[in-house]
Amino acid sequence: MQELSVTSTVTTRYMARDMILGMSTERTYGKTFIREWRVYRGLSLRRLADRLEMSGPNDSISHASLGRIETGDQPYSQPILEALASALNCSVTDLLSVDPTKEGEVVDLMRMINDKNRDQAIRVLRALTGTD
């Protein structure tokens, strides 16, 4: 995993850049399902922050920063997404595109199906949805 250094200065740095460029400091980033996955896994922001395995001993992210990332008020990076996905037992793609309150159990069950039974499971799901 790449080295990551995330501190409380991340937001300040982006706000300063935005002010210099004449941009609004009320920048919002794209929708993610990070909060939904965290809640689905029964974790508080603090517990999730404690679970994150970053690349070095000084690499960490605060629960406050996680909260800002969840609301789209702070940018995230690939290393942060990878650490979140690992801590939440899902994929980076899931964090960006899957609402676990609607699809979480299905996603979890599909991950538990071994390669030998995957085709059969897909056929059953297609039959149930009428898409076969």
Side-chain angles (χ1 to χ4, degrees):
M1 188 181 287
Q2 296 177 354
E3 285 191 26
L4 172 68
S5 179
V6 179
T7 65
S8 61
T9 60
V10 170
T11 302
T12 306
R13 185 176 346 126
Y14 281 92
M15 290 173 64
R17 181 203 65 197
D18 291 349
M19 288 193 305
I20 290 169
L21 296 174
M23 298 168 61
S24 167
T25 58
E26 298 297 321
R27 185 171 187 175
T28 302
Y29 297 88
K31 169 72 175 143
T32 68
F33 292 97
I34 296 169
R35 174 175 285 163
E36 289 83 354
W37 278 101
R38 177 180 57 78
V39 171
Y40 179 71
R41 297 294 188 218
L43 297 171
S44 67
L45 282 169
R46 287 183 194 273
R47 293 236 13 238
L48 179 56
D50 291 343
R51 272 186 161 192
L52 294 181
E53 294 181 20
M54 303 308 229
S55 61
N58 296 324
D59 296 337
S60 64
I61 185 165
S62 71
H63 70 281
S65 288
L66 281 178
R68 288 189 297 271
I69 290 169
E70 284 184 351
T71 59
D73 294 332
Q74 178 175 321
Y76 52 82
S77 64
Q78 186 68 25
I80 290 172
L81 286 178
E82 289 175 8
L84 285 167
S86 177
L88 294 168
N89 194 27
C90 64
S91 70
V92 170
T93 303
D94 292 341
L95 291 175
L96 299 176
S97 62
V98 175
D99 183 346
T101 62
K102 296 180 181 172
E103 306 168 55
E105 188 171 8
V106 173
V107 170
D108 288 343
L109 289 170
M110 287 301 292
R111 280 200 184 92
M112 293 188 312
I113 296 171
N114 62 32
D115 289 337
K116 180 181 174 186
N117 296 325
R118 187 168 307 277
D119 289 338
Q120 182 181 1
I122 290 171
R123 284 194 304 275
V124 169
L125 289 171
R126 285 187 178 147
L128 289 172
T129 60
T131 58
D132 49 328

